[in-house]
Amino acid sequence: MRPQLLDSIVVVFFVAEMLGKMFAMGLYGHKESYLRNRWNRLDLLINLGEFFDFFMDYLGLHLQVSQVLGPLRLISRVASMRDIVSALLIIFPMLANVLCLYMFVVHIFGVIGVQLWAGRLRNRCFLGEDPTAMYNVSLSPYYVTKYGEFQPFLCSPEGTSGRHCSEVPANRENDQTCSLAPPAPSVFGFTGAGTNACVNWNALYNVCRAGAQNPNNGATNFDNIGYAWISIFQVVTLEGWSDIMFYAMDVYSFWSFLYFIFVAIMGSFIMMNVCAVVIATQYSDNMEHLRLQQTRREDSAVLVKWLRSKWTGCLAVIRRRASNRVRRHDDDSRADDLTVGGHIWGLLRTRLEKIVKSKIFDSLIMFAVLLSILTLAIEHHNQPNELTNILQISNLTFTVIFVVEMVLKLMGLKCAYFEDRNNLFDFVIVIISLWETITKAGGRLSVLRAFRLLRFGRLLHYLPYLRTQLLVLKKAMQEAASLCMLMLFVIFVFSLVGMHLFGHGLHTRKIINDRNNFDTLLWSMVTVFQILTEEDWNRVLYTIMAATSPWAFIYFVAVIVTGKHVLLNILVGIVLQGFQDRRILGENHASVTSVDANAKDENRTHGESPATVTPSPPLEDSSADANGDEENRSRNQTALRWCKKREDWSLYLLSPQNRFRLFCKSVMSNNSFEYTVLLFILLNCITIAMERPGIESASKERMFLNISGYVFSAVFLVEMLFKVLTLGLFFGSESYCRSAWNVVDGSLVVASLVDIVVSMTPASHSKMLGILKVLRLLRTLRPLRVVKRAPKLKLAVEALITAVKPVGNILLVCCAFIFFYAILGLQLFKGKFYTCRGEYIDDINNKTDCLSANYRWEQKDFNFDSLPQALMSLFVMYSKDGWVTLMYDGLDAVGVDQQPVINHNEWMLLFFISFMIVSFFLLDMFIGVMVDTFHDCQKQQKKLAEEAKNRSQCGAGAPGEAEVPQQTPYQASYSRMRLSIHTLCTSHQLDLFMAVLIFISVLIMAVEHYQQPLYIKKLTEYSHYVFTSILVIEVLLKLVAFGVLRFLRNSWNFMDLVVVLLSIMSIVLNRMRVSQHIPINPTILRVSRVLRLAQVLKAKRIRVLLTTIIKTLSQVGNICLLFLFFFSIYATLGVEFFGQLECAEDDLCLGLNEYVNFKHFGMALFTLFLVCTGDNWSVIMMDTLKQCRPGECSHYLMWVSPIYFIAFVVIAQFVLANLVVAVIVQAMEDSNQVKEEASSGVSASNPVDSGTSDPIY
């Protein structure tokens, strides 16, 4: 009753406020009226929702719309949130266009998915005979793995690609694999197996057909366009997308992975990044515009200013009274006690003040802080008692040191001590350390000692560039405060909506688990935050859809689009704006510095010119050393003269006119020589890709690889010798070693020669094995030789090299952040991430109970038992992979050697959620660094291109200024009929008609579904004939209007012709009924006609987006080449490291499987792409550690594997993937520039000349 009364009072208050504003401002009719303000209209809508709720309650329906709309009042009353929402409303049209293009891409791929896999994900291996009647054995109707539907066994019919029922694993009994076939019935009973024999009953599952259920509780399928949208959206979010891909590979073909990789690249890496760039750039511009428009704050700004003035006045009064009291006390003390002791105390305090302000004192304290942090870092679980005692003594020692520091500063600085925030921070830490030491209250209080690490922030003035980036981060955090408030508000609203839709009455806690539910506000907000981070959001979706309805998918899409793709991308815009401001300030500072330097040079030239002509003192002044030194000097001068004379000689042996050197130069300058070397490099890359650990030493393949290695080494040695003899080795302006790329080539050649020599050395194999492994690992770097010979790849690599310094600084910041949280996690969770594995563990409370029950006491994969393990766990969280599981383990942790209890300490949410929030800022800093670096490289490249263009124009005498005679339009000689056809083909009405037609055809294709009625099949078939006929007529008309050559000269017309040919081909193949004999369904060729929409779309904003996407796709070749180059090196290393790993039958591999492994180069590339997308990469890494048993693989994999995967994730996810964002930002700027030039009339062209009315380019 009380909540209802409170709700009524709140409603009455806001209704009274609304009515008061209406009477004061007027309802409608002038500029300042009530309804002219959008926020007043929002209040009116909310109040109407309140009345609607009261009315529905009166009718007995409890909809509670007002509880969802009510929190929206906060937006109109917080000025900073109102500004953000206003900026979002301004960019909403552009954002809507991006989302429309995004949904269009999802729809197209969904249509293709329905054509390929409708009903196929239902395939299961069913029994071919009745085991109950024949063998008196009860079996499941279809084969079910021991993990149930969590990992279903999907199949493909015999005679097709994919996985077949013959691959069903044999069943196991008593940890033994059954191998006997089912007994054959006979007249005398069953034969073929003994009574107690182990029979492989799984062999009876030999019929692959469609069942009744799809994977993931029916949520993952392509049976109709709706479920296809769900699956494609999941692929675009890159969460759990590999499972869907594996399902398609099982039921259709191994080559299905090409479709999903293309969807991931097009949807996630391009479309989603285009959305991020649009929001980030447009938001920055609009916020700047809003700040210029709003000269003063009303309401809250006046209130804040008044409160600030009152607070400042109060502080001033308190400070004045305190100072007067201190001064009065000092005067009294001087008057009453002017003794020798007071004088000594004054001298002592002055000396202490100098000491505590000295650099030596500060350095000693910093050294003590460093040692105290090291003592915290070396703690680990199950550490020796001696180490524990040493750490306790050291902790006591450091506490005493910091107490002495605090006392000295208090004595020396007195009240000024508390004016410094750093001193206040130190004071709190020291008091807590004293409390912990005196009361011996260990545990959570010891965590606060880790905050000593923050004192190292004082050292940033020694690292100016790092300090600059930290200032950018600090500014971004300050400006994002209101954004964080809005994000919290959005999470709160979606949590309320989730509670009303999926909580309480549905009891989703029982269906999902104790955490991923919407039953309480806390766990509803945690679940929404998890969905925002896109970590395991698909698992929540599956269970919610199973519990409620497939329409629940709309809620998850709204959360992800609003939170992840809109609000979090605003954070990207804030970071980019910070880097842009820093760049502008740097350019201004550089210009001012150059002006000052020029002025100084000018002053020096005018004022100090006589000093420049002052003769230098003579060097020969003594004759005492003439006897001994003159001979040495003459000898050195002779040698120098000889070297100077032969400076242009190669190796001081071959003169520039030497015939052999001239021959080498002619060979090296020949293009055939460079192409031949490039061919051998590519062949060498292929042979390196063929390497794998499983090749037998006596096989022909190993012999071929060894001989080819010798041949390639010889060829590269000859190339190196030719270049050295031509250019010289060290000396000379163009010598071989002057180029860094030549140094790389030469180092690889020398390494390969050493490898050959060491392998042929008749020494002990065990001694040479380690050297051989290192040298063979250097072979993986041979693709670096390609970089020098590919100009575009070389430019991209040089851009990455330029980004090493700023990226290194960001990595340093991230490492410090992760290290700080690792120390915290080490103090909080050391020894607590263990659990008991067994059948009945409800009564297990600790390790002793677990072992006494003959169960296994296991450590969690990711834990905080030591600093390295804590760092690895936090890096996994930082990459947004598996952080939810880690958070749940932290919430369940009870104590050392204690069995976890679900939600034992919910306050640990602060540790994990705060880490994830700060990680968003640091991840966006990588984007800012890459965009800033790419902008600088692009600017320098444009500058060089402009200089080259100016030089060419000056050399050519500016021939472009000649007048071009005006040409007669080509259609002037047309007949009246052909001219009318030309007018029709160049009209906007035709483009609009074709756009509507193609849009209708796409909708009709989306109607197809699994087990569709016959009339739908006829509708789609006949409509395809009609649409194809219209397309053919359009192409014929354009051929008549423009002519064949002029028609084909335009790329869009050529695309029209291709679309028509593909449509005709699909009709022919369908009529011939050859779909069973070709690898793809010919009906998907119909989807190609949607490409026509790119040409006929007329909205200006969409055209800008299309231009941006096309410009980005034009750079995809360079980016893909860079990715492929980087992946090839890592794939070769992965095959060398993990090629022999096999999943054990008794230990499930959650990451490695038949499709994800490092057995050969191709599978390694595929696996690395999965790691690059961040989909369960941590599970793959842990599988490489679990499956490496002693004696089966190299011992160094235990530390090589984490380094390998973490380094790859940093380079691939944080650097290379953000390079795509930088390319899109540049493409967006170019597109806007082209649009502005076109609107201002700078670039005018004849649109009908090329056969299309409005070309994109």
Side-chain angles (χ1 to χ4, degrees), residues 2-28:
R2 289 182 179 179
Q4 294 180 356
L5 178 62
L6 182 61
D7 289 343
S8 301
I9 295 174
V10 171
V11 171
V12 170
F13 174 79
F14 285 114
V15 169
E17 178 206 21
M18 179 185 69
L19 294 176
K21 285 185 176 181
M22 286 182 177
F23 283 116
M25 304 168 63
L27 184 63
Y28 188 76

Side-chain angles (χ1 to χ4, degrees), residues 471-608:
L471 290 177
V472 172
L473 179 61
K474 179 182 177 182
K475 181 181 178 183
M477 287 185 172
Q478 291 174 348
E479 294 187 357
S482 55
L483 176 64
C484 293
M485 190 186 304
L486 181 61
M487 177 67 75
L488 180 63
F489 173 75
V490 169
I491 292 175
F492 178 74
V493 171
F494 275 111
S495 301
L496 292 178
V497 175
M499 291 174 64
H500 291 330
L501 293 177
F502 315 121
H504 301 298
L506 295 175
H507 298 291
T508 53
R509 177 179 298 181
K510 298 179 182 178
I511 300 172
I512 307 173
N513 56 50
D514 285 342
R515 269 73 72 98
N516 284 338
N517 60 74
F518 294 89
D519 290 349
T520 63
L521 181 61
L522 173 64
W523 288 110
S524 181
M525 294 183 70
V526 173
T527 303
V528 171
F529 183 78
Q530 174 186 345
I531 297 172
L532 285 180
T533 62
E534 296 182 350
E535 170 59 22
D536 283 342
W537 74 272
N538 53 320
R539 298 294 173 188
V540 186
L541 171 69
Y542 298 154
T543 48
I544 289 292
M545 287 176 60
T548 57
S549 165
W551 293 101
F553 171 69
I554 299 176
Y555 172 82
F556 288 84
V557 172
V559 173
I560 291 176
V561 171
T562 304
K564 178 67 168 60
H565 300 319
V566 177
L567 294 181
L568 288 181
N569 285 331
I570 293 177
L571 181 60
V572 178
I574 293 174
V575 173
L576 291 180
Q577 186 65 35
F579 275 96
Q580 185 177 356
D581 294 342
R582 184 183 64 83
R583 189 194 309 138
I584 294 173
L585 289 175
E587 291 175 355
N588 294 336
H589 178 71
S591 61
V592 171
T593 305
S594 62
V595 170
D596 293 342
N598 293 333
K600 289 180 180 179
D601 292 341
E602 191 173 347
N603 293 334
R604 189 180 299 115
T605 303
H606 290 291
E608 300 180 2

Side-chain angles (χ1 to χ4, degrees), residues 609-627:
S609 55
T612 59
V613 296
T614 303
S616 58
L619 296 177
E620 38 184 348
D621 58 89
S622 74
S623 59
D625 301 332
N627 295 328

Side-chain angles (χ1 to χ4, degrees), residues 939-1076:
K939 184 178 178 181
Q940 188 173 3
Q941 185 181 7
K942 288 181 178 179
K943 183 179 179 182
L944 294 175
E946 210 167 297
E947 290 177 356
K949 182 180 178 182
N950 293 334
R951 285 196 300 268
S952 63
Q953 286 181 353
C954 292
E961 296 180 1
E963 294 186 1
V964 179
Q966 188 173 3
Q967 297 180 355
T968 305
Y970 64 90
Q971 69 269 23
S973 60
Y974 283 3
S975 63
R976 181 177 298 179
M977 178 65 70
R978 189 177 181 185
L979 189 61
S980 61
I981 295 175
H982 182 274
T983 304
L984 174 65
C985 293
T986 56
S987 63
H988 292 283
Q989 288 77 13
L990 179 64
D991 287 341
L992 182 61
F993 172 76
M994 296 304 299
V996 173
L997 189 72
I998 294 170
F999 188 75
I1000 294 174
S1001 68
V1002 172
L1003 292 180
I1004 292 178
M1005 282 190 290
V1007 175
E1008 296 184 69
H1009 58 275
Y1010 176 62
Q1011 293 181 344
Q1012 61 186 4
L1014 182 61
Y1015 71 88
I1016 292 182
K1017 182 178 180 181
K1018 294 293 185 182
L1019 172 66
T1020 55
E1021 185 176 358
Y1022 292 149
S1023 64
H1024 178 54
Y1025 296 157
V1026 174
F1027 294 139
T1028 303
S1029 302
I1030 296 175
L1031 290 175
V1032 170
I1033 294 173
E1034 183 205 15
V1035 169
L1036 293 177
L1037 289 175
K1038 286 189 175 182
L1039 284 172
V1040 173
F1042 305 116
V1044 177
L1045 295 179
R1046 190 174 288 109
F1047 176 83
L1048 296 177
R1049 196 179 301 158
N1050 183 272
S1051 57
W1052 295 104
N1053 292 336
F1054 183 76
M1055 187 188 70
D1056 293 347
L1057 184 61
V1058 172
V1059 169
V1060 169
L1061 293 178
L1062 289 176
S1063 300
I1064 296 174
M1065 187 185 302
S1066 67
I1067 295 175
V1068 173
L1069 292 177
N1070 277 326
R1071 300 303 296 178
M1072 295 175 62
R1073 303 185 183 278
V1074 295
S1075 59
Q1076 299 295 329

Side-chain angles (χ1 to χ4, degrees), residues 43 99 178 304 529 587 594 645 649 714 719 732 759 766 775 943 946 982 997 1113 1138 1152 1164 1174 1188 1216 1218 1245:
D43 289 343
L99 294 179
C178 300
V304 169
F529 183 78
E587 291 175 355
S594 62
K645 181 180 179 181
W649 292 39
E719 178 213 7
S759 62
S766 59
L775 293 174
K943 183 179 179 182
E946 210 167 297
H982 182 274
L997 189 72
L1113 291 176
F1138 315 114
L1152 298 177
C1188 183
L1216 292 180
N1218 290 329
S1245 59

